[in-house]
Amino acid sequence: AAGIGVTLLLWRFCPSLYSRNHGENVDFFQALRLMVPYGMPLYLSTLILSLLTQYRGIILAQFVSNMGIGNYTIAMNFSVLIIIFSQPIAISLFPAFSKLSIKKDRDILEKMFKLSVKYTSLLVIPASLALCVLSNEVVYALYGSQYRLAPSYLALYVLYFLCAGLGMFVIASFFNGQGDTKATFKMDLVNVSLSVPLTLIFTFLYGVPGLMASLVTSQFVSTTYGLFLARKKYALTVDWASSFRILVASLCSALLVYVLLALIPIPLFKLVFGGFLYVISFLGFAPLLRAISKEDVANLDELLKGLVLIYPIARSILNLEKRILSLHIAI
């Protein structure tokens, strides 16, 4: 695949590469001089994060039993349910940020940064806490009750995704879109520098829960550091009030589901009823607690119009949010 890609690149664009940004021809080596300083920090980030994953596996094998590793693997499998929401957003934000310049389009870029964090949080944080409160039911439904430790591991791991409210899935895309890949590398370097000692110490002391704690801690610190860089270099920050309200609305829904699930004896009914109740309660709490506004409803409606399969469902949900907002204002 790499060979075919390089062949197509040379065939189509060499001996000269056309730069749309500058309106002039750029030869191959000039293009490399532009691309390497941009791409090398991202390459190094990917490399060290890949090595970090292998390092965690080695530490687990040293200090955790086979049973613990099996339950850990089951818990990690469910992270795909969150990544389905988060990863496409992070990928799609890069070209959006790359089309704007912080010098020329500061107001637009600042608003886009805050809204990106908010709308990512609206998906990821509720989904994370739903998976947390329903961890027992989800694991037992798919894998059976023999994996007794997996639900608690899953509940701990999803705390990792609460960093979405700090911009975990947005900051790197912003830096890369502005050409500041060194800032992304610094964030990942902070993550790795903390993860290496914390993974060893916490896993040795507490096993899999210690590993989960090291994951959450290192990600929280690296995301906070990324926010510090964004504020220092570009005077950008997240909408703290919105992130807090989304978290509170999600926690209220999770608490309601947790209390009511104790009244249902059948595990499968718990999963179905609990999931339905969580969605309905969050859709009620979000507008009541101002986690979503009428402007957000209009923005999301405009953004989702192009998604033919999703939009009919999304439009019904957004109309419901609009009615609740209008009722709240009237009261």
Side-chain angles (χ1 to χ4, degrees), residues 18-310:
Y18 182 77
S19 173
R20 293 184 179 180
N21 293 332
H22 298 91
E24 60 185 10
N25 287 329
V26 180
D27 65 38
F28 184 74
F29 292 102
Q30 285 178 322
L32 282 181
R33 283 194 290 270
L34 291 172
M35 292 163 60
V36 170
Y38 177 88
M40 186 56 67
L42 297 181
Y43 168 75
L44 292 175
S45 293
T46 304
L47 178 63
I48 61 176
L49 291 176
S50 299
L51 293 175
L52 180 60
T53 301
Q54 301 305 317
Y55 170 75
R56 288 181 179 130
I58 293 171
I59 296 299
L60 273 174
Q62 294 297 319
F63 300 118
V64 178
S65 66
N66 289 340
M67 183 183 70
I69 293 174
N71 280 270
Y72 165 79
T73 303
I74 295 299
M76 295 298 289
N77 286 343
F78 286 98
S79 65
V80 175
L81 297 175
I82 309 298
I83 294 172
I84 286 173
F85 293 105
S86 59
Q87 198 63 34
I89 296 173
I91 293 172
S92 63
L93 284 174
F94 166 69
F97 282 126
S98 66
K99 293 179 181 180
L100 299 172
S101 169
I102 192 66
K103 295 180 179 179
K104 299 178 182 178
D105 311 294
R106 161 163 287 281
D107 293 340
I108 298 175
L109 197 57
E110 182 176 7
K111 184 176 182 180
M112 180 180 169
F113 181 82
K114 289 183 176 180
L115 290 179
S116 297
V117 174
K118 182 176 183 179
Y119 296 157
T120 305
S121 301
L122 272 172
L123 286 174
V124 175
I125 292 179
S128 301
L129 289 178
L131 199 55
C132 179
V133 75
L134 295 170
S135 57
N136 277 300
E137 287 70 30
V138 170
V139 171
Y140 292 166
L142 294 181
Y143 290 98
S145 58
Q146 65 268 29
Y147 292 98
R148 293 177 292 104
L149 299 175
S152 59
Y153 293 168
L154 177 59
L156 284 173
Y157 179 65
V158 295
L159 297 177
Y160 170 89
F161 293 100
L162 298 184
C163 292
L166 303 178
M168 179 174 71
F169 298 106
V170 177
I171 297 174
S173 295
F174 167 75
F175 285 145
N176 297 341
Q178 295 303 300
D180 193 0
T181 53
K182 291 181 180 178
T184 303
F185 176 68
K186 289 177 181 178
M187 284 176 55
D188 292 335
L189 198 59
V190 168
N191 191 340
V192 172
S193 299
L194 278 174
S195 289
V196 170
L198 290 182
T199 297
L200 176 62
I201 296 169
F202 286 4
T203 306
F204 173 73
L205 293 175
Y206 306 109
V208 174
L211 176 66
M212 299 296 188
S214 70
L215 276 167
V216 174
T217 302
S218 58
Q219 186 59 57
F220 174 79
V221 173
S222 65
T223 303
T224 304
Y225 177 68
L227 273 179
F228 167 76
L229 291 178
R231 185 176 182 84
K232 180 181 178 182
K233 300 179 72 172
Y234 304 101
L236 293 180
T237 188
V238 302
D239 186 346
W240 295 104
S242 294
S243 296
F244 177 73
R245 288 168 182 162
I246 292 169
L247 178 61
V248 171
S250 302
L251 285 172
C252 290
S253 301
L255 181 60
L256 180 62
V257 171
Y258 180 79
V259 171
L260 292 181
L261 283 184
L263 305 176
I264 303 175
I266 304 174
L268 184 59
F269 286 176
K270 283 187 176 184
L271 179 59
V272 175
F273 178 76
F276 178 77
L277 177 62
Y278 186 91
V279 172
I280 296 300
S281 60
F282 179 78
L283 292 177
F285 282 125
L288 291 176
L289 295 174
R290 295 295 183 183
I292 188 171
S293 65
K294 282 191 172 183
E295 181 183 1
D296 295 325
V297 172
N299 290 339
L300 291 170
D301 184 76
E302 189 66 29
L303 288 170
L304 297 172
K305 277 183 178 178
L307 304 177
V308 179
L309 297 177
I310 298 175

